[in-house]
Amino acid sequence: MRVSGQRPNEFAFSSVIQASSSLGCTEIGRQMHCLSVKCGFSYELFVGSNLADMYSKCGEIYDACKVFQEMPYKDEVSWTSMIDGYAKNGDSEEALLACKEMLGEGVAIDHYVLCSTLHACEAVRAHNFGKCLQSFVVKLGFEKETIVGNALTDMYSKVGDMDSAFQVFGNDSGCMNIVSYTSLVDGYVEADQIENALNIFLELRRLAVEPNEFTFSSLIKACANQAALEQGTQLQAQVIKFNFASDPFVSSTLVDMYGKCGLVGESVKLFNMIENPTDIGWNSLVGVFAQHGLGKEAIKVFDKMVLKGVKPNAITFANLLKGCSHARLLGEGLNYFHAMESSYRVAPKEENYSCIIDLLSRPGSLTEAEEFIKGMPFEPNAFGWCSYLAACRNHGDEERGEVAALKLMRLEPENSGAHVLLSNIYAKERQWGHVRTVRKMMRDGSFKKLPGYSWVDVGNKTHVFGAEDWSHPQQMEIYVKLGSLIDQIKKVGYIPQIDLIPYDIDDRMKEKQLRYHSEKLAVVFALIKIIADFTIFQMGLVPVEIIGRAMKLRKEKGGRNRMYVAKLSCISQPKD
């Protein structure tokens, strides 16, 4: 057109700029911008809107903003382009401000603006702003629009308001599609409401809605977090039925789920069935070995990953460093951390630094950990300070423990964990006055510590135990069996860690508290009910240190040694 001497009009410019945007060719788009200025079309509404859209889609949000500000007139299309550009480039707060300006200027909003702004709300957890937008949705009659309903459901789910998310569509499930259901499932999973998530899945299957890979990934993740093996295996059957077994996200979550349920062999078997595992799959397998303290195996998997040409990322190294920490491979862990940037071109992130704090602190190298913290480019996150504080508790370093506790309290003022660990440090040193002071701080601050419970699935029934639980119908049998096992493991070297009981009571009472711990009751009940060839899977809302040495129980039966293993997941502190 240019060679033939024809002068392009605003519509020709708009079309070429749109093509540049679709191809991601910023340079061609810039050339069109220059030519449009030369031809006097840069202030045309269509040209300006498409230029702003092109720059924002290509990640050049500054240039998009400049073009938008220079436009003498802006319609809903140009406003939508900017709001969408801000949201997709991570400038969510700017997207919300642009939406407010748009409304202030009286520009009509449509469902595209609403969807983009709702996505920005979920990114910055702007719950109140999202609620205001829902009133616009109702006012403009968009409440039955599936795309708007999906955006609302997703926004409420991401900010944790599951009641509002569930009520978006009301009783009209005909407006919902798989995106709506998946948003609800994911929201319930993040809220740790696995039963509700599974109910949503059953509902969508009842309505003949086909789940997608994201639905399965969320549900399997929930089963992994709860060590719900039975539900996880049923979901795996559904995954195979709907041909998602080769999906990298689904297969990786299955590897992770079996690992968290204690079946490391199943995780390895599933991983080996993945034809070309991506970094997600490799990360899951490294994470499985790391979680079980198999640091050397995690290193072997990492080496294979690199050998296969798969580039590790920050998540890979976080899992690898956790494995080194749990296996006390201090030298190897430090070497991998220092090699991240130099050898693998991976910039260490906050979590990687926190893993090194744990790596140094766990074996008692608290001075080195302190020096590492001082040399960090930023303050440690809550996980880093919590690891350091727990190590101070384990190694009896009161001075450093106080510093770590104060830092953790500032980061997470509503978390009672820092107070509990600090109280334990004082209790270990028998400084009961300080213990009482910390507990008074907890009472004055209205801190609530969840009571510790453990549960075990036997047959089709879940049995829940609390500390010194007298409510179970077989409690006498459990207590007799527990006493017998405690006597046996004491003979082979088990010593109750009574210094972990933060009360000024005699040693005999402390040992009694440890004896009737909820995890011990759950494990003993499982040993009574389940045959020896089975592995016992149990969740515990308690720290494993209290009974860690009592978890492996050997018993003679039929002339052979049998090993019973309890899979534990630690979530919170024991009952006060």
Side-chain angles (χ1 to χ4, degrees):
M1 182 179 183
R2 293 288 292 158
V3 170
S4 65
Q6 295 294 319
R7 189 172 184 272
N9 59 18
E10 63 268 35
F11 302 108
F13 277 113
S14 297
S15 297
V16 177
I17 292 167
Q18 284 179 19
S20 303
S21 175
S22 299
L23 295 170
C25 296
T26 314
E27 287 307 310
I28 295 176
R30 287 190 190 281
Q31 291 174 22
M32 290 300 103
H33 188 183
C34 293
L35 191 57
S36 68
V37 172
K38 185 178 179 181
C39 295
F41 291 123
S42 60
Y43 293 122
E44 287 288 338
L45 180 62
F46 291 117
V47 177
S49 295
N50 282 294
L51 279 170
D53 186 57
M54 182 272 297
Y55 280 125
S56 66
K57 285 181 178 175
C58 293
E60 304 289 342
I61 196 68
Y62 174 79
D63 292 327
C65 196
K66 199 169 181 182
V67 169
F68 180 75
Q69 289 171 351
E70 290 175 353
M71 290 172 63
Y73 173 73
K74 307 173 184 70
D75 65 354
E76 60 268 23
V77 176
S78 50
W79 278 104
T80 303
S81 297
M82 279 311 302
I83 292 169
D84 190 55
Y86 280 131
K88 287 180 178 175
N89 283 280
D91 295 328
S92 300
E93 291 183 0
E94 289 295 327
L96 299 185
L97 288 172
C99 182
K100 287 180 183 178
E101 287 180 35
M102 181 181 179
L103 292 169
E105 292 190 13
V107 181
I109 60 175
D110 59 13
H111 58 287
Y112 295 112
V113 175
L114 288 166
C115 290
S116 296
T117 312
L118 285 167
H119 288 313
C121 287
E122 71 185 47
V124 293
R125 302 183 70 83
H127 182 255
N128 290 334
F129 197 99
K131 272 194 170 296
C132 293
L133 288 176
Q134 187 177 12
S135 65
F136 277 100
V137 169
V138 176
K139 182 180 178 181
L140 297 171
F142 291 134
E143 67 267 26
K144 297 299 180 184
E145 290 276 350
T146 301
I147 185 173
V148 178
N150 287 346
L152 271 170
T153 304
D154 196 47
M155 184 274 295
Y156 281 127
S157 297
K158 290 289 195 305
V159 301
D161 186 356
M162 292 311 301
D163 290 337
S164 298
F166 188 74
Q167 291 168 7
V168 165
F169 286 97
N171 296 319
D172 189 3
S173 57
C175 297
M176 300 177 72
N177 60 12
I178 187 56
V179 178
S180 325
Y181 285 111
T182 301
S183 293
L184 282 173
V185 166
D186 193 53
Y188 281 126
V189 170
E190 291 301 317
D192 206 23
Q193 299 178 29
I194 181 173
E195 188 174 346
N196 287 333
L198 291 170
N199 286 338
I200 293 294
F201 179 74
L202 293 174
E203 176 67 11
L204 73 88
R205 294 301 302 125
R206 186 182 69 80
L207 295 171
V209 178
E210 287 203 3
N212 59 22
E213 62 271 33
F214 304 108
T215 318
F216 283 119
S217 294
S218 293
L219 286 167
I220 295 165
K221 176 186 172 185
C223 294
N225 292 340
Q226 295 284 339
L229 180 62
E230 184 178 351
Q231 290 84 351
T233 52
Q234 291 176 13
L235 285 169
Q236 186 186 8
Q238 292 288 309
V239 164
I240 295 168
K241 179 181 177 181
F242 286 99
N243 294 317
F244 287 121
S246 59
D247 181 84
F249 291 102
V250 177
S251 56
S252 299
T253 50
L254 280 169
V255 169
D256 182 59
M257 186 271 293
Y258 279 111
K260 285 180 176 173
C261 288
L263 297 177
V264 179
E266 285 297 317
S267 291
V268 174
K269 189 191 297 184
L270 272 170
F271 178 82
N272 290 335
M273 291 170 65
I274 304 173
E275 193 168 337
N276 292 301
T278 63
D279 59 335
I280 303 168
W282 286 103
N283 289 350
S284 293
L285 190 59
V286 173
V288 166
F289 284 121
Q291 181 190 357
H292 289 273
L294 303 172
K296 291 183 179 178
E297 287 77 3
I299 290 172
K300 288 177 185 176
V301 173
F302 175 81
D303 290 341
K304 286 181 184 177
M305 175 184 182
V306 174
L307 197 63
K308 292 281 185 181
V310 180
K311 190 179 186 301
N313 53 31
I315 298 172
T316 318
F317 282 101
N319 288 336
L320 184 63
L321 293 172
K322 285 175 186 174
C324 291
S325 177
H326 293 162
R328 305 293 176 95
L329 301 174
L330 181 58
E332 292 88 336
L334 289 173
N335 289 338
Y336 279 116
F337 177 76
H338 294 308
M340 281 181 68
E341 210 154 9
S342 59
S343 301
Y344 300 98
R345 302 289 184 268
V346 178
K349 294 189 176 178
E350 200 175 54
E351 190 175 0
N352 303 120
Y353 280 96
S354 296
C355 289
I356 293 298
I357 295 173
D358 186 54
L359 178 74
L360 291 167
S361 303
R362 193 177 286 258
S365 303
L366 297 175
T367 304
E368 290 82 353
E370 183 180 27
E371 292 301 316
F372 179 80
I373 290 170
K374 288 178 180 176
M376 283 174 58
F378 41 73
E379 278 280 304
N381 60 15
F383 172 71
W385 283 120
C386 193
S387 300
Y388 188 59
L389 176 56
C392 292
R393 189 269 311 268
N394 293 337
H395 298 285
D397 194 323
E398 180 185 330
E399 185 179 344
R400 290 190 175 97
E402 287 174 343
V403 173
L406 288 172
K407 295 283 188 180
L408 189 55
M409 288 173 196
R410 289 192 192 120
L411 280 175
E412 295 185 342
E414 295 179 0
N415 188 348
S416 64
H419 296 82
V420 172
L421 286 171
L422 184 58
S423 172
N424 289 345
I425 290 173
Y426 290 140
K428 194 171 183 180
E429 299 298 318
R430 297 185 175 273
Q431 297 184 16
W432 304 115
H434 290 335
V435 171
R436 285 189 288 273
T437 301
V438 173
R439 291 190 173 272
K440 185 178 183 299
M441 286 171 57
M442 293 178 68
R443 285 194 299 272
D444 293 344
S446 300
F447 289 108
K448 291 184 178 179
K449 188 160 64 70
L450 291 173
Y453 293 100
S454 303
W455 64 88
V456 59
D457 290 333
V458 177
N460 294 319
K461 189 176 179 181
T462 300
H463 298 259
V464 181
F465 297 88
E468 298 190 46
D469 195 341
W470 298 96
S471 62
H472 197 278
Q474 292 180 258
Q475 57 101 358
M476 285 308 298
E477 186 182 356
I478 293 169
Y479 278 36
V480 170
K481 183 69 172 177
L482 176 58
S484 170
L485 290 172
I486 293 290
D487 290 340
Q488 289 181 53
I489 61 177
K490 276 185 175 180
K491 290 177 182 177
V492 293
Y494 168 66
I495 301 172
Q497 293 178 280
I498 58 174
D499 57 342
L500 293 177
I501 300 296
Y503 300 107
D504 187 9
I505 55 179
D506 63 54
D507 292 350
R508 185 177 56 82
M509 291 300 296
K510 289 183 178 181
E511 187 173 338
K512 183 182 176 184
Q513 284 201 7
L514 289 177
R515 174 179 288 245
Y516 300 118
H517 196 279
S518 64
E519 281 186 347
K520 286 181 179 174
L521 298 177
V523 171
V524 169
F525 175 72
L527 290 173
I528 293 170
K529 300 296 289 187
I530 302 177
I531 62 172
D533 290 321
F534 281 18
T535 300
I536 303 163
F537 294 94
Q538 117 174 67
M539 284 292 292
L541 292 175
V542 280
V544 74
E545 289 87 356
I546 288 186
I547 54 166
R549 296 188 61 190
M551 284 299 98
K552 293 184 179 179
L553 311 172
R554 181 169 291 165
K555 179 184 177 183
E556 294 289 337
K557 185 174 180 179
R560 293 188 298 149
N561 286 334
R562 302 273 187 177
M563 187 68 75
Y564 302 88
V565 181
K567 165 67 181 70
L568 304 175
S569 295
C570 305
I571 298 175
S572 70
Q573 296 296 322
K575 188 174 180 179
D576 190 18

